[in-house]
Amino acid sequence: MKKKAIIVSIKGATLSNKERLLFSNEKPWGLILFRRNIVSINQLQSLIKKIRILTKDIYFPILIDEEGLTVSRLKKLIQHDISANYFGGIYLKNKRLSICLYKTYLNSLCKKLKKIGININTIPVLDVLRANTSKVIGNRSFSKKKEIVKKLGKITVNQCHSNKIISVIKHIPGHGCAVSDSHFKTPKVNLSYNKLNSNDFFPFKSTSAKLAMTAHVLYKKIDSINVATFSKKIIKEIIRKKIGFRGILMSDDISMKALKFDLLTNAKKSLNAGCNLVLYCGGNINDNFKLIKSLPYIDKFTLKKTSEIYKILR
């Protein structure tokens, strides 16, 4: 399973000649889909089938951000205008009902994803809401209460895995403490380690998730220079040791404006800091090739964890 340490994206609803070469000749770890890639169920099923033929990999990772409501790439195809926060709200009033409804919802969503051919959904959002949390998180979070976020997050991972869909916990070690949107600028957080550890880091601990996505957030009192994605200190001491995450760590999109360097530098900084994979969402074919030619193959740890993912997908 020789794969490059990158998840790529494509430009449109069909593969260009260069994109065919990307999947047949190069070895990206996976592909992430966006609305620009989706026209109909038949078109999307055909696209995914072609990619798996080109990669000669029936379990080739196809990712999507299908959270519901504000973040739904499949809006044209499936209706689930519902948010994580909705289930968190029910949980406050009736735990058993919330869990029952949420499991039913997840089973239905996973069934639809499997039918299409998608095998990784980048849920759950484990960011804990605050009064001033950036609107980019908003109702994507389950709750202001860390215990509810952790409980429903755990159910998400387990339910997805039981349906042979891999989940991605995000945005580790926590984006709920940030007041700005990392798509457009670098969020800077001035909270102490103790405050972050007791609240924001809490939902990410003791998880069975196989994948986690980093936060492009600067936690000034832990690392005053580097956002989490670029921070050896945060990845090694916080994410790996204190939080204890043992799965594959992927960066959030390296083309987001929270990161201040060019794409290749962003990618290399992420990997050097301890990310196992980088995520590129821009879909530019020249950038895809430039990145994939310049980045290393996955290491032994990521290879082992990828094999564990494939076992769940069988």
Side-chain angles (χ1 to χ4, degrees):
M1 200 188 294
K2 210 176 181 186
K3 285 173 171 276
K4 286 293 187 85
I6 184 171
I7 296 163
V8 298
S9 54
I10 56 174
K11 206 68 184 173
T14 57
L15 293 175
S16 67
N17 289 334
K18 284 187 176 180
E19 285 169 342
R20 287 191 188 93
L21 288 173
L22 180 75
F23 290 108
S24 59
N25 294 357
E26 308 299 331
K27 302 289 179 183
W29 189 89
L31 165 75
I32 189 163
L33 294 168
F34 291 92
R35 283 195 200 178
R36 64 180 186 256
N37 308 128
I38 299 160
V39 174
S40 69
I41 287 179
N42 288 342
Q43 165 268 328
L44 189 52
Q45 286 173 326
S46 176
L47 174 66
I48 291 169
K49 188 176 179 182
K50 282 175 186 173
I51 289 165
R52 293 211 166 107
I53 289 168
L54 289 168
T55 58
K56 298 175 183 173
D57 181 355
I58 59 169
Y59 301 115
F60 183 77
I62 305 287
L63 295 81
I64 199 162
D65 297 321
E66 198 56 38
E67 299 173 14
L69 204 59
T70 53
V71 180
S72 173
R73 313 304 188 200
L74 294 168
K75 211 158 198 160
K76 294 177 187 173
L77 309 186
I78 62 175
Q79 290 297 315
H80 61 133
D81 289 340
I82 203 162
S83 67
N85 197 255
Y86 171 79
F87 294 105
I90 297 174
Y91 191 93
L92 278 171
K93 299 169 187 174
N94 189 324
K95 293 179 185 179
R96 286 183 66 185
L97 177 63
S98 174
I99 290 168
C100 180
L101 287 173
Y102 190 47
K103 284 183 175 179
T104 302
Y105 163 76
L106 286 172
N107 289 340
S108 174
L109 177 58
C110 288
K111 188 177 179 182
K112 289 168 184 171
L113 295 179
K114 275 189 73 179
K115 183 181 177 183
I116 291 166
I118 293 160
N119 52 14
I120 300 179
N121 191 7
T122 66
I123 59 170
V125 173
L126 297 186
D127 305 320
V128 183
L129 282 176
R130 281 186 167 80
N132 60 349
T133 297
S134 169
K135 288 180 182 177
V136 74
I137 301 300
N139 58 23
R140 299 166 65 195
S141 166
F142 291 109
S143 181
K144 290 180 180 178
K145 293 187 176 293
K146 63 182 180 181
E147 295 85 2
I148 294 177
V149 176
K150 187 179 182 73
K151 177 67 177 178
L152 293 180
K154 184 178 181 181
I155 288 168
T156 308
V157 174
N158 292 341
Q159 211 65 23
C160 286
H161 286 186
S162 68
N163 280 284
K164 298 187 177 182
I165 297 289
I166 303 301
S167 64
V168 182
I169 56 172
K170 61 188 185 186
H171 305 83
I172 199 167
H175 206 302
C177 51
V179 299
S180 55
D181 183 347
S182 52
H183 290 87
F184 304 110
K185 62 187 287 190
T186 306
K188 296 174 183 178
V189 172
N190 212 26
L191 297 171
S192 68
Y193 165 77
N194 287 337
K195 283 188 177 178
L196 289 165
N197 186 50
S198 66
N199 192 63
D200 300 85
F201 301 169
F202 177 77
F204 294 97
K205 295 176 180 179
S206 306
T207 181
S208 59
K210 298 296 182 184
L211 281 160
M213 182 187 290
T214 62
H216 293 334
V217 174
L218 185 71
Y219 306 91
K220 291 170 74 176
K221 291 191 174 174
I222 301 174
D223 186 333
S224 61
I225 299 169
N226 300 296
V227 295
T229 308
F230 291 168
S231 174
K232 286 182 182 180
K233 185 174 185 182
I234 289 172
I235 290 175
K236 290 177 182 177
E237 294 181 20
I238 307 294
I239 294 174
R240 292 303 190 187
K241 289 183 182 176
K242 300 290 184 183
I243 290 174
F245 179 66
R246 293 184 171 85
I248 295 172
L249 186 65
M250 58 185 276
S251 75
D252 203 343
D253 178 20
I254 56 169
S255 62
M256 285 163 66
K257 289 182 171 62
L259 307 184
K260 301 301 183 186
F261 303 95
D262 62 89
L263 287 174
L264 189 53
T265 305
N266 287 342
K268 289 184 174 180
K269 276 181 166 286
S270 304
L271 295 174
N272 288 339
C275 290
N276 307 115
L277 300 172
V278 295
L279 175 67
Y280 171 56
C281 300
N284 182 288
I285 189 60
N286 293 328
D287 287 332
N288 273 325
F289 269 105
K290 186 178 179 180
L291 286 162
I292 208 162
K293 297 275 190 192
S294 304
L295 296 181
Y297 287 101
I298 57 173
D299 58 18
K300 287 181 181 179
F301 169 85
T302 312
L303 180 63
K304 181 187 174 189
K305 295 297 175 181
T306 302
S307 295
E308 290 175 12
I309 285 170
Y310 275 47
K311 283 177 185 175
I312 293 171
L313 295 176
R314 281 177 195 154

